[in-house]
Amino acid sequence: MNGLKQKYMLTSEIAREIVNRAEEKAKELGVRVCIAVVDDGGNLLEFRRMTGAPILSIEIAQNKAYTSIAFGIPTGYWYDMIKDEPALLHGIVHTSRLVIFAGGLPIKLNGEIIGGIGVSGATAQQDEEIAKYAISIIENQR
Amino acid sequence: MNGLKQKYMLTSEIAREIVNRAEEKAKELGVRVCIAVVDDGGNLLEFRRMTGAPILSIEIAQNKAYTSIAFGIPTGYWYDMIKDEPALLHGIVHTSRLVIFAGGLPIKLNGEIIGGIGVSGATAQQDEEIAKYAISIIENQR
Amino acid sequence: MNGLKQKYMLTSEIAREIVNRAEEKAKELGVRVCIAVVDDGGNLLEFRRMTGAPILSIEIAQNKAYTSIAFGIPTGYWYDMIKDEPALLHGIVHTSRLVIFAGGLPIKLNGEIIGGIGVSGATAQQDEEIAKYAISIIENQR
Amino acid sequence: MNGLKQKYMLTSEIAREIVNRAEEKAKELGVRVCIAVVDDGGNLLEFRRMTGAPILSIEIAQNKAYTSIAFGIPTGYWYDMIKDEPALLHGIVHTSRLVIFAGGLPIKLNGEIIGGIGVSGATAQQDEEIAKYAISIIENQR
């Protein structure tokens, strides 16, 4: 149909598979995290708090997932992007639900954002490693 | 220990099992719902939005789960409890995160609240039926 | 000094005594409640959640105390005051922290509001009875 | 029971005892503070504002208590933890209710978090000293 585009969308089944893989990797690393997967609209699809993961991470994981789809880049890219722009460094960080540290990744297929993942509870680097491993299932399907 | 009480707590594994059972029942009923499980402090443990379930239900399911632990009764009891008390009917409904229709159930063990489930997306009665089926795994373990 | 007035203020000690008396009355009635005492500015002075009192009541008790000082009348008067004014009945109830059912009382001395108490967790009538008993210590000091 | 864990919980009586001890220590130090005790889910159990303690501290004390249970470490550890990670230093501080300066301590029993205390109104160091003294009653009971 003219003027309408088609897009891929995450299903609940894939969101769950992504969360399961994230947990698998977290266990391998010996850490306890919260994991959130959102769709391309930033709306929550699947969430898990591993037993003993920080309550503080419930919100952070969801915000990382949201930030990932809301700007289309890994949350870990943000700091480098704003660090030499003082107005952004002090200003944009107040944006609702924006997270500027690693652990959130957009989930892309053929270059289009189809969702996002956010992981929180370990170090930012481990969080990102977990997120990366979890969504590699999608990349492999390309 | 003097003055301290002991209580049971939900693990991530049980929360997931509860969500899996809720989805199983929802599929049997042919409906698509959001399912949230919180711990006894109202903090999210596990969440799922089935493919095609309403985005509006993301928040409602979580609020139903919260309400269940925050007052210790099924959310479906609220309306009957307040319908003849106009001050409550017009007033208490404004309490943050309070849901007064069916679909949220406290998860109890030996009479103590150990968590809550909230289901949203079908009729309130179906939401509750799904919630009931999902947590019967706990009752059976008593 | 010209133009300045003097007022009485609740101390922490009296706030605590009020909360203790509220708990005493709650135990006598066999109920478990949250109790909040605020100063004349609506700012929290003392709070208690009795073991097993509803988590939902944490917010409601504080809002009842706030409403009491913010309008200077018992929260239980509100519904009768607005019930025949549909615009108020449907509108003013959305005001932040306004509670329109019983359980909140202003604490007055010589006709001046010096603070407020809010009780939540039992029936609205019991909540108010507890609040009334608790603050009678002030009335007696008049 | 399979899959369920047991843990200790704070009662209202112990929360009050902790607050009483905090106030005792604050008086000894000649400072006026707000003191909040939350359960392991971050929900308020007991609160006191000493006469003359800053109104601003009402919220800070509660947030310190919340942060303590939500991440499981003293709030005073946060700054050292993030000071060399600029993305965290500028970013994570925007997390709801997160406090990154001293005065909040998790209350632990046998290594498990059973609640949290937050003290605010004096210097951060004094706040923490007060918190530490207050909860030593739990440690002593081990």
Side-chain angles (χ1 to χ4, degrees), chain D residues 23-69:
Chain D
E23 179 170 10
E24 188 188 301
K25 180 52 111 182
K27 284 183 169 162
E28 190 187 310
L29 295 174
V31 296
R32 298 183 287 189
V33 295
C34 291
I35 308 144
V37 172
V38 298
D39 62 24
D40 67 323
N43 297 303
L44 192 59
L45 266 173
E46 187 91 7
F47 174 87
R48 179 167 304 156
R49 173 159 53 105
M50 291 170 64
T51 308
I55 286 174
L56 197 72
S57 293
I58 297 172
E59 180 184 331
I60 297 175
Q62 293 184 59
N63 287 351
K64 283 181 178 177
Y66 171 77
T67 300
S68 299
I69 68 93

Tab-separated table of all heavy atoms in Angstrom, chain D residues 23-69:
chain	number	residue	atom	x	y	z
D	23	GLU	N	18.085	8.780	67.558
D	23	GLU	CA	17.849	10.081	68.188
D	23	GLU	C	18.759	10.287	69.400
D	23	GLU	O	19.292	11.386	69.608
D	23	GLU	CB	16.378	10.195	68.631
D	23	GLU	CG	16.116	11.520	69.320
D	23	GLU	CD	14.647	11.795	69.560
D	23	GLU	OE1	13.819	10.868	69.368
D	23	GLU	OE2	14.322	12.927	69.955
D	24	GLU	N	18.926	9.243	70.165
D	24	GLU	CA	19.811	9.286	71.339
D	24	GLU	C	21.224	9.722	70.909
D	24	GLU	O	21.828	10.623	71.511
D	24	GLU	CB	19.830	7.854	71.902
D	24	GLU	CG	20.501	7.608	73.206
D	24	GLU	CD	20.549	6.083	73.430
D	24	GLU	OE1	19.480	5.428	73.459
D	24	GLU	OE2	21.676	5.561	73.562
D	25	LYS	N	21.719	9.108	69.848
D	25	LYS	CA	23.053	9.434	69.356
D	25	LYS	C	23.104	10.864	68.791
D	25	LYS	O	24.073	11.601	69.014
D	25	LYS	CB	23.453	8.422	68.278
D	25	LYS	CG	24.825	8.627	67.671
D	25	LYS	CD	25.931	8.747	68.720
D	25	LYS	CE	26.852	7.557	68.704
D	25	LYS	NZ	27.902	7.647	69.743
D	26	ALA	N	22.048	11.258	68.108
D	26	ALA	CA	22.007	12.618	67.554
D	26	ALA	C	22.073	13.650	68.669
D	26	ALA	O	22.780	14.657	68.573
D	26	ALA	CB	20.741	12.803	66.718
D	27	LYS	N	21.363	13.386	69.752
D	27	LYS	CA	21.378	14.313	70.899
D	27	LYS	C	22.764	14.380	71.521
D	27	LYS	O	23.230	15.451	71.903
D	27	LYS	CB	20.337	13.883	71.927
D	27	LYS	CG	18.913	14.245	71.491
D	27	LYS	CD	17.880	13.885	72.545
D	27	LYS	CE	16.524	14.508	72.176
D	27	LYS	NZ	15.404	13.874	72.903
D	28	GLU	N	23.400	13.230	71.609
D	28	GLU	CA	24.753	13.172	72.151
D	28	GLU	C	25.702	14.029	71.295
D	28	GLU	O	26.594	14.700	71.814
D	28	GLU	CB	25.196	11.706	72.143
D	28	GLU	CG	26.481	11.400	72.886
D	28	GLU	CD	26.884	9.947	72.634
D	28	GLU	OE1	26.015	9.054	72.810
D	28	GLU	OE2	28.045	9.722	72.226
D	29	LEU	N	25.485	13.995	69.968
D	29	LEU	CA	26.327	14.779	69.051
D	29	LEU	C	25.865	16.229	68.951
D	29	LEU	O	26.528	17.066	68.333
D	29	LEU	CB	26.314	14.154	67.643
D	29	LEU	CG	26.912	12.762	67.480
D	29	LEU	CD1	26.681	12.236	66.069
D	29	LEU	CD2	28.417	12.781	67.793
D	30	GLY	N	24.704	16.517	69.547
D	30	GLY	CA	24.200	17.884	69.495
D	30	GLY	C	23.649	18.299	68.143
D	30	GLY	O	23.702	19.477	67.784
D	31	VAL	N	23.112	17.330	67.391
D	31	VAL	CA	22.555	17.647	66.071
D	31	VAL	C	21.084	17.238	66.001
D	31	VAL	O	20.606	16.445	66.810
D	31	VAL	CB	23.343	16.941	64.938
D	31	VAL	CG1	24.774	17.459	64.894
D	31	VAL	CG2	23.318	15.423	65.107
D	32	ARG	N	20.385	17.808	65.020
D	32	ARG	CA	18.963	17.520	64.855
D	32	ARG	C	18.737	16.936	63.475
D	32	ARG	O	19.060	17.575	62.467
D	32	ARG	CB	18.168	18.801	65.048
D	32	ARG	CG	18.373	19.337	66.472
D	32	ARG	CD	17.572	20.564	66.758
D	32	ARG	NE	18.078	21.735	66.089
D	32	ARG	CZ	17.650	22.979	66.325
D	32	ARG	NH1	16.710	23.184	67.237
D	32	ARG	NH2	18.151	24.010	65.669
D	33	VAL	N	18.217	15.741	63.430
D	33	VAL	CA	18.150	15.005	62.162
D	33	VAL	C	16.771	14.387	61.930
D	33	VAL	O	15.946	14.299	62.842
D	33	VAL	CB	19.193	13.856	62.143
D	33	VAL	CG1	20.603	14.410	62.178
D	33	VAL	CG2	18.948	12.883	63.295
D	34	CYS	N	16.563	13.986	60.675
D	34	CYS	CA	15.449	13.124	60.319
D	34	CYS	C	15.966	11.696	60.227
D	34	CYS	O	17.092	11.478	59.763
D	34	CYS	CB	14.857	13.524	58.974
D	34	CYS	SG	14.006	15.103	59.022
D	35	ILE	N	15.144	10.762	60.652
D	35	ILE	CA	15.545	9.353	60.676
D	35	ILE	C	14.429	8.529	60.035
D	35	ILE	O	13.265	8.672	60.419
D	35	ILE	CB	15.736	8.854	62.134
D	35	ILE	CG1	16.655	9.788	62.906
D	35	ILE	CG2	16.221	7.403	62.156
D	35	ILE	CD1	16.265	9.964	64.371
D	36	ALA	N	14.795	7.701	59.068
D	36	ALA	CA	13.808	6.836	58.426
D	36	ALA	C	14.278	5.391	58.463
D	36	ALA	O	15.456	5.116	58.227
D	36	ALA	CB	13.589	7.264	56.979
D	37	VAL	N	13.365	4.486	58.743
D	37	VAL	CA	13.664	3.056	58.667
D	37	VAL	C	12.673	2.416	57.701
D	37	VAL	O	11.461	2.619	57.827
D	37	VAL	CB	13.574	2.377	60.054
D	37	VAL	CG1	13.703	0.853	59.926
D	37	VAL	CG2	14.657	2.916	60.976
D	38	VAL	N	13.199	1.686	56.718
D	38	VAL	CA	12.343	0.986	55.757
D	38	VAL	C	12.553	-0.520	55.891
D	38	VAL	O	13.563	-0.977	56.432
D	38	VAL	CB	12.657	1.401	54.298
D	38	VAL	CG1	12.403	2.888	54.085
D	38	VAL	CG2	14.084	1.040	53.903
D	39	ASP	N	11.586	-1.275	55.370
D	39	ASP	CA	11.741	-2.732	55.355
D	39	ASP	C	12.581	-3.144	54.154
D	39	ASP	O	13.089	-2.299	53.416
D	39	ASP	CB	10.377	-3.427	55.379
D	39	ASP	CG	9.521	-3.094	54.169
D	39	ASP	OD1	10.080	-2.729	53.111
D	39	ASP	OD2	8.286	-3.206	54.280
D	40	ASP	N	12.722	-4.428	53.935
D	40	ASP	CA	13.596	-4.912	52.863
D	40	ASP	C	13.045	-4.623	51.467
D	40	ASP	O	13.766	-4.755	50.483
D	40	ASP	CB	13.863	-6.413	53.033
D	40	ASP	CG	12.609	-7.236	52.818
D	40	ASP	OD1	11.517	-6.777	53.230
D	40	ASP	OD2	12.691	-8.314	52.231
D	41	GLY	N	11.797	-4.194	51.384
D	41	GLY	CA	11.217	-3.810	50.098
D	41	GLY	C	11.277	-2.306	49.875
D	41	GLY	O	10.805	-1.802	48.868
D	42	GLY	N	11.843	-1.578	50.845
D	42	GLY	CA	11.978	-0.133	50.712
D	42	GLY	C	10.757	0.635	51.189
D	42	GLY	O	10.674	1.849	50.984
D	43	ASN	N	9.821	-0.050	51.806
D	43	ASN	CA	8.597	0.607	52.274
D	43	ASN	C	8.762	1.106	53.710
D	43	ASN	O	9.233	0.376	54.584
D	43	ASN	CB	7.419	-0.364	52.169
D	43	ASN	CG	7.142	-0.762	50.725
D	43	ASN	OD1	6.915	0.100	49.877
D	43	ASN	ND2	7.224	-2.063	50.434
D	44	LEU	N	8.344	2.356	53.944
D	44	LEU	CA	8.601	3.029	55.220
D	44	LEU	C	7.969	2.298	56.406
D	44	LEU	O	6.814	1.913	56.381
D	44	LEU	CB	8.032	4.454	55.158
D	44	LEU	CG	8.449	5.413	56.270
D	44	LEU	CD1	9.956	5.599	56.313
D	44	LEU	CD2	7.766	6.779	56.081
D	45	LEU	N	8.761	2.134	57.448
D	45	LEU	CA	8.270	1.516	58.675
D	45	LEU	C	8.143	2.548	59.789
D	45	LEU	O	7.147	2.580	60.495
D	45	LEU	CB	9.249	0.420	59.137
D	45	LEU	CG	8.964	-1.006	58.704
D	45	LEU	CD1	10.115	-1.906	59.106
D	45	LEU	CD2	7.661	-1.522	59.327
D	46	GLU	N	9.168	3.371	59.950
D	46	GLU	CA	9.161	4.346	61.046
D	46	GLU	C	9.955	5.566	60.608
D	46	GLU	O	10.973	5.452	59.926
D	46	GLU	CB	9.819	3.713	62.289
D	46	GLU	CG	9.734	4.528	63.564
D	46	GLU	CD	8.494	4.226	64.418
D	46	GLU	OE1	7.739	3.280	64.098
D	46	GLU	OE2	8.281	4.950	65.412
D	47	PHE	N	9.449	6.735	61.021
D	47	PHE	CA	10.116	7.982	60.644
D	47	PHE	C	10.027	8.970	61.790
D	47	PHE	O	9.012	9.040	62.491
D	47	PHE	CB	9.445	8.589	59.404
D	47	PHE	CG	9.999	9.945	59.049
D	47	PHE	CD1	11.116	10.061	58.234
D	47	PHE	CD2	9.428	11.102	59.559
D	47	PHE	CE1	11.647	11.311	57.928
D	47	PHE	CE2	9.952	12.350	59.266
D	47	PHE	CZ	11.064	12.453	58.453
D	48	ARG	N	11.085	9.718	61.979
D	48	ARG	CA	11.053	10.808	62.976
D	48	ARG	C	11.833	12.019	62.472
D	48	ARG	O	12.939	11.910	61.986
D	48	ARG	CB	11.678	10.344	64.299
D	48	ARG	CG	11.702	11.448	65.379
D	48	ARG	CD	12.022	10.874	66.726
D	48	ARG	NE	11.066	9.817	67.038
D	48	ARG	CZ	11.307	8.809	67.894
D	48	ARG	NH1	12.463	8.728	68.505
D	48	ARG	NH2	10.384	7.889	68.103
D	49	ARG	N	11.198	13.180	62.620
D	49	ARG	CA	11.938	14.435	62.427
D	49	ARG	C	12.095	15.064	63.789
D	49	ARG	O	11.111	15.461	64.416
D	49	ARG	CB	11.186	15.375	61.476
D	49	ARG	CG	11.832	16.761	61.372
D	49	ARG	CD	11.456	17.524	60.122
D	49	ARG	NE	10.022	17.625	59.924
D	49	ARG	CZ	9.283	18.726	60.135
D	49	ARG	NH1	9.856	19.844	60.560
D	49	ARG	NH2	7.987	18.716	59.917
D	50	MET	N	13.308	15.175	64.267
D	50	MET	CA	13.556	15.814	65.554
D	50	MET	C	13.193	17.300	65.445
D	50	MET	O	13.322	17.902	64.374
D	50	MET	CB	15.029	15.650	65.955
D	50	MET	CG	15.409	14.211	66.295
D	50	MET	SD	17.218	13.966	66.483
D	50	MET	CE	17.556	15.002	67.924
D	51	THR	N	12.752	17.865	66.529
D	51	THR	CA	12.374	19.274	66.516
D	51	THR	C	13.519	20.119	65.953
D	51	THR	O	14.648	20.036	66.424
D	51	THR	CB	12.065	19.752	67.960
D	51	THR	OG1	11.118	18.850	68.541
D	51	THR	CG2	11.496	21.158	67.956
D	52	GLY	N	13.210	20.872	64.909
D	52	GLY	CA	14.223	21.759	64.347
D	52	GLY	C	15.083	21.142	63.264
D	52	GLY	O	15.899	21.835	62.653
D	53	ALA	N	14.912	19.855	63.003
D	53	ALA	CA	15.672	19.237	61.900
D	53	ALA	C	15.164	19.803	60.579
D	53	ALA	O	13.993	20.183	60.465
D	53	ALA	CB	15.526	17.723	61.940
D	54	PRO	N	16.034	19.882	59.568
D	54	PRO	CA	15.635	20.512	58.302
D	54	PRO	C	14.484	19.775	57.614
D	54	PRO	O	14.476	18.549	57.553
D	54	PRO	CB	16.906	20.411	57.433
D	54	PRO	CG	18.024	20.175	58.384
D	54	PRO	CD	17.433	19.440	59.550
D	55	ILE	N	13.568	20.539	57.082
D	55	ILE	CA	12.464	19.965	56.306
D	55	ILE	C	13.016	19.244	55.072
D	55	ILE	O	12.495	18.214	54.650
D	55	ILE	CB	11.474	21.084	55.931
D	55	ILE	CG1	10.670	21.475	57.182
D	55	ILE	CG2	10.550	20.655	54.797
D	55	ILE	CD1	9.747	22.667	56.996
D	56	LEU	N	14.070	19.770	54.495
D	56	LEU	CA	14.681	19.134	53.328
D	56	LEU	C	15.106	17.700	53.622
D	56	LEU	O	15.146	16.843	52.739
D	56	LEU	CB	15.915	19.943	52.883
D	56	LEU	CG	16.443	19.689	51.479
D	56	LEU	CD1	15.486	20.275	50.445
D	56	LEU	CD2	17.824	20.309	51.285
D	57	SER	N	15.442	17.458	54.873
D	57	SER	CA	15.946	16.135	55.254
D	57	SER	C	14.855	15.077	55.331
D	57	SER	O	15.160	13.880	55.400
D	57	SER	CB	16.673	16.226	56.604
D	57	SER	OG	17.851	16.997	56.464
D	58	ILE	N	13.603	15.511	55.325
D	58	ILE	CA	12.500	14.535	55.377
D	58	ILE	C	12.620	13.568	54.205
D	58	ILE	O	12.555	12.348	54.367
D	58	ILE	CB	11.128	15.246	55.333
D	58	ILE	CG1	10.949	16.140	56.562
D	58	ILE	CG2	9.999	14.226	55.231
D	58	ILE	CD1	9.697	17.021	56.503
D	59	GLU	N	12.793	14.136	53.033
D	59	GLU	CA	12.898	13.310	51.832
D	59	GLU	C	14.254	12.610	51.740
D	59	GLU	O	14.339	11.437	51.373
D	59	GLU	CB	12.680	14.192	50.597
D	59	GLU	CG	12.770	13.433	49.288
D	59	GLU	CD	12.644	14.366	48.074
D	59	GLU	OE1	11.978	15.417	48.186
D	59	GLU	OE2	13.230	14.042	47.020
D	60	ILE	N	15.318	13.344	52.092
D	60	ILE	CA	16.661	12.759	51.949
D	60	ILE	C	16.825	11.539	52.849
D	60	ILE	O	17.371	10.517	52.432
D	60	ILE	CB	17.755	13.816	52.253
D	60	ILE	CG1	17.679	14.967	51.232
D	60	ILE	CG2	19.142	13.184	52.224
D	60	ILE	CD1	18.632	16.126	51.525
D	61	ALA	N	16.338	11.637	54.079
D	61	ALA	CA	16.472	10.495	54.992
D	61	ALA	C	15.752	9.273	54.423
D	61	ALA	O	16.280	8.148	54.447
D	61	ALA	CB	15.906	10.855	56.373
D	62	GLN	N	14.552	9.494	53.886
D	62	GLN	CA	13.799	8.365	53.322
D	62	GLN	C	14.510	7.806	52.089
D	62	GLN	O	14.537	6.599	51.880
D	62	GLN	CB	12.373	8.800	52.985
D	62	GLN	CG	11.567	9.131	54.245
D	62	GLN	CD	10.116	9.486	53.946
D	62	GLN	OE1	9.374	8.702	53.374
D	62	GLN	NE2	9.700	10.675	54.345
D	63	ASN	N	15.066	8.695	51.273
D	63	ASN	CA	15.765	8.220	50.077
D	63	ASN	C	17.052	7.478	50.428
D	63	ASN	O	17.425	6.520	49.752
D	63	ASN	CB	16.056	9.387	49.136
D	63	ASN	CG	14.801	9.875	48.446
D	63	ASN	OD1	13.744	9.242	48.540
D	63	ASN	ND2	14.898	10.990	47.743
D	64	LYS	N	17.715	7.927	51.478
D	64	LYS	CA	18.917	7.200	51.913
D	64	LYS	C	18.543	5.787	52.371
D	64	LYS	O	19.243	4.818	52.063
D	64	LYS	CB	19.611	7.946	53.061
D	64	LYS	CG	20.414	9.171	52.631
D	64	LYS	CD	21.068	9.824	53.854
D	64	LYS	CE	21.926	11.040	53.456
D	64	LYS	NZ	22.491	11.718	54.651
D	65	ALA	N	17.465	5.695	53.114
D	65	ALA	CA	17.042	4.374	53.586
D	65	ALA	C	16.678	3.492	52.392
D	65	ALA	O	17.057	2.312	52.320
D	65	ALA	CB	15.854	4.510	54.545
D	66	TYR	N	15.965	4.082	51.433
D	66	TYR	CA	15.588	3.327	50.242
D	66	TYR	C	16.821	2.866	49.456
D	66	TYR	O	16.940	1.698	49.072
D	66	TYR	CB	14.690	4.167	49.330
D	66	TYR	CG	14.467	3.504	48.000
D	66	TYR	CD1	13.573	2.447	47.880
D	66	TYR	CD2	15.193	3.887	46.882
D	66	TYR	CE1	13.398	1.800	46.664
D	66	TYR	CE2	15.031	3.245	45.665
D	66	TYR	CZ	14.132	2.206	45.557
D	66	TYR	OH	13.977	1.567	44.360
D	67	THR	N	17.755	3.798	49.219
D	67	THR	CA	18.960	3.455	48.459
D	67	THR	C	19.715	2.304	49.119
D	67	THR	O	20.246	1.419	48.442
D	67	THR	CB	19.889	4.686	48.342
D	67	THR	OG1	19.193	5.729	47.667
D	67	THR	CG2	21.150	4.351	47.570
D	68	SER	N	19.730	2.319	50.440
D	68	SER	CA	20.478	1.294	51.173
D	68	SER	C	19.956	-0.102	50.895
D	68	SER	O	20.740	-1.041	50.729
D	68	SER	CB	20.395	1.568	52.677
D	68	SER	OG	20.957	2.820	52.969
D	69	ILE	N	18.626	-0.228	50.864
D	69	ILE	CA	18.103	-1.579	50.601
D	69	ILE	C	18.125	-1.865	49.104
D	69	ILE	O	18.184	-3.021	48.688
D	69	ILE	CB	16.671	-1.789	51.153
D	69	ILE	CG1	15.630	-0.950	50.388
D	69	ILE	CG2	16.601	-1.542	52.637
D	69	ILE	CD1	14.972	-1.653	49.257
